[in-house]
Amino acid sequence: MEVVLVPGLWLTASSWDPVLPALREAGHTPVSLTFPGVGGTAGRDGRHHHG
């Protein structure tokens, strides 16, 4: 199952990095977001695919 992770405030997708291994071990596909204008590493759609 794909799990979408949305950071709060000014945080980027990398704020979810500590929980990604546990989600993968549980059989999920984590997708973390960075909103436009925050950070600078997101793709055009703001999605970071981890897997």
Side-chain angles (χ1 to χ4, degrees):
M1 170 181 12
E2 188 170 271
V3 177
V4 178
L5 303 166
V6 180
L9 302 173
W10 62 88
L11 300 173
T12 64
S14 65
S15 65
W16 291 108
D17 287 353
V19 300
L20 298 179
L23 288 170
R24 286 189 196 107
E25 287 177 26
H28 301 295
T29 303
V31 178
S32 53
L33 303 177
T34 295
F35 291 107
V38 177
T41 59
R44 285 192 82 192
D45 65 357
R47 293 167 58 116
H48 290 263
H49 296 275
H50 297 278

